[in-house]
Amino acid sequence: QVTYRDYIETEAGQTRNNMFIVYLPDISPGEKPFHPIEVALSSTDLPSGITVNQDWQYVGGFNNWNKTALKIAISQQVGPSVYTFNINVKVDGEDYGIVPCVIEVLE
């Protein structure tokens, strides 16, 4: 289960944080009932003038959840419009797919 903001409004020249909370409710038989998980986020199809970096990560000790922040920087040169890109989600090195993100740059 992944929760995050899939739509962000901002002005050009700003940096926004997007908190991703990843929770694995089902653990395979034979595993510990709770285990810390590592989350790796990366972006694809990034529009020109927008950069995305994984900023920090909090692993829930012996729990099967993780909080991770993405830092999204919008260049001053980015014009007003709606921009879309994808975030790849990997948990413990395993690909869990992509989630969409929309940035609306206001006038």
Side-chain angles (χ1 to χ4, degrees):
Q1 178 180 355
V2 177
T3 58
Y4 71 106
R5 289 189 302 164
D6 62 350
Y7 174 83
I8 299 171
E9 288 183 354
T10 188
E11 296 176 356
Q14 301 292 311
T15 298
R16 296 288 178 245
N17 292 314
N18 197 348
M19 175 73 67
F20 280 70
I21 300 173
V22 178
Y23 174 70
L24 296 179
D26 298 320
I27 302 297
S28 300
E31 287 189 73
K32 295 186 289 184
F34 298 101
H35 70 281
I37 60 173
E38 293 291 327
V39 173
L41 303 174
S42 60
S43 56
T44 60
D45 307 320
L46 213 60
S48 179
I50 297 177
T51 59
V52 176
N53 294 299
Q54 189 167 345
D55 192 33
W56 58 265
Q57 185 168 162
Y58 177 77
V59 178
F62 290 103
N63 297 316
N64 50 337
W65 61 272
N66 176 300
K67 291 182 182 178
T68 300
L70 279 187
K71 189 170 278 195
I72 303 170
I74 296 88
S75 167
Q76 188 68 42
Q77 288 73 36
V78 174
S81 189
V82 175
Y83 300 91
T84 61
F85 57 92
N86 293 311
I87 303 294
N88 296 319
V89 179
K90 286 188 177 183
V91 177
D92 291 338
E94 185 177 336
D95 186 6
Y96 273 72
I98 60 171
V99 293
C101 190
V102 175
I103 302 289
E104 182 173 359
V105 178
L106 306 172
E107 289 190 41

